[in-house]
Amino acid sequence: MHQPPKPYELARRLRAGESLFTAWMSMPEPLLADLVAREGFDAVTFDMQHSSVDLLSAMRGISAVNHAGKPAGVRIALDAFGDGARLLDVGAEIIIAPMINSVADAKKFASAVKYPPLGDRSWGGNRFQQLIGMNPQDYLRQANEMTVALAMIETTAALAAVDDILAVPGIDGVFAGPSDLSITLLKGEKLDPNHQVVKDAFAKILAAAKKAGKLTGCYAPSPERAKELAAEGWGFITLINDSLMVRGGAQQALKAVRA
């Protein structure tokens, strides 16, 4: 008999100090998400900011990932805080919001995805009840702890305000974006997510989060860098995206027959 996934373990594991590796999905195909979820990733995250994943395909993808027994996350589109709440309604466990550059941005994000007293998340949907077997009253009491809201730190302004952003009630932690940090810190000269200025920014973000007692996440430029980031103490780490998985598999197979 199929055993349903044990939901909302992601928040518990991150708060226990584990480093978790997530796959990153940019293709709006639930079957692909299901396939990836059945591998050894700790979670599967959908990117609605820089891909063709829309709200409906993210919802379907979350269901596929949950069915495969894994937790799902979503990076919502820019300023789409309301989508974050809807995705939590259908079973997402972590919401990442891009371009959180100020306390005001962080407050808007937290308000949308956290129930009172931390925010003003609207009540609705019943998918979570099917997933967790929890009655509405118990879910309401525990939802703010069982779900994770990460504010992306990826600009000069966000980096300068990171301590204040982390202090906003309802913001569970921060998620560092190395590509945009390289662009903003190098003043648009080049894209270099492995540049020393990015590593220095990552160190500042990690130290600020640890000082605030908040969670961390980041996008790793490579699996090798992901291993280093885990050793440094980062929590929710993007290991690889779906297009690289598909291309890498294709290239490996073709190399084997054409070498």
Side-chain angles (χ1 to χ4, degrees), residues 5-225:
K6 187 176 182 182
Y8 300 105
E9 284 292 289
L10 184 65
R12 182 193 63 78
R13 293 179 67 188
L14 288 173
R15 291 193 171 97
E18 292 188 51
S19 291
L20 305 181
F21 297 103
T22 184
W24 196 259
M25 309 301 293
S26 60
M27 301 181 193
E29 175 48 63
L31 287 175
L32 180 59
D34 178 278
L35 181 68
V36 170
R38 294 178 190 277
E39 299 303 320
F41 296 100
D42 297 300
V44 176
T45 303
F46 298 89
D47 182 14
M48 293 178 66
Q49 184 189 15
H50 291 301
S51 79
S52 55
V53 175
D54 59 14
L55 185 61
L56 182 58
S57 58
M59 288 178 169
R60 289 173 172 168
I62 289 166
S63 182
V65 170
N66 289 159
H67 182 71
K70 293 291 177 66
V74 183
R75 176 168 71 174
I76 56 176
L78 187 63
D79 297 328
F81 302 137
D83 286 350
R86 294 182 70 182
L87 294 161
L88 291 174
D89 286 343
V90 297
E93 298 186 35
I94 184 166
I95 301 295
I96 303 166
M99 293 288 177
I100 301 298
N101 294 323
S102 65
V103 168
D105 292 340
K107 286 182 176 179
K108 288 179 182 178
F109 175 38
S111 176
V113 298
K114 294 294 183 179
Y115 289 117
L118 296 179
D120 299 293
R121 178 181 166 189
S122 177
W123 182 264
N126 60 9
R127 175 64 175 162
F128 62 84
Q129 294 181 53
Q130 293 176 302
L131 287 173
I132 63 181
M134 183 180 287
N135 69 56
Q137 296 297 339
D138 288 339
Y139 177 78
L140 176 61
R141 284 191 290 269
Q142 299 180 49
N144 285 345
E145 284 295 313
M146 293 192 300
T147 58
V148 176
L150 297 183
M152 283 200 75
I153 305 298
E154 49 189 340
T155 67
T156 302
L159 192 61
V162 64
D163 292 313
D164 293 332
I165 289 170
L166 281 161
V168 172
I171 296 298
D172 296 302
V174 287
F175 189 96
S179 294
D180 279 315
L181 277 171
S182 76
I183 293 171
T184 188
L185 293 173
L186 296 172
K187 303 185 186 305
E189 293 178 1
K190 63 178 177 177
L191 171 66
D192 185 357
N194 291 303
H195 197 283
Q196 187 59 47
V197 296
V198 176
K199 293 181 179 180
D200 292 343
F202 266 48
K204 178 179 179 178
I205 295 166
L206 182 63
K210 287 186 175 181
K211 181 180 178 181
K214 296 291 184 76
L215 305 177
T216 59
C218 61
Y219 198 105
S222 67
E224 294 75 21
R225 181 62 178 142

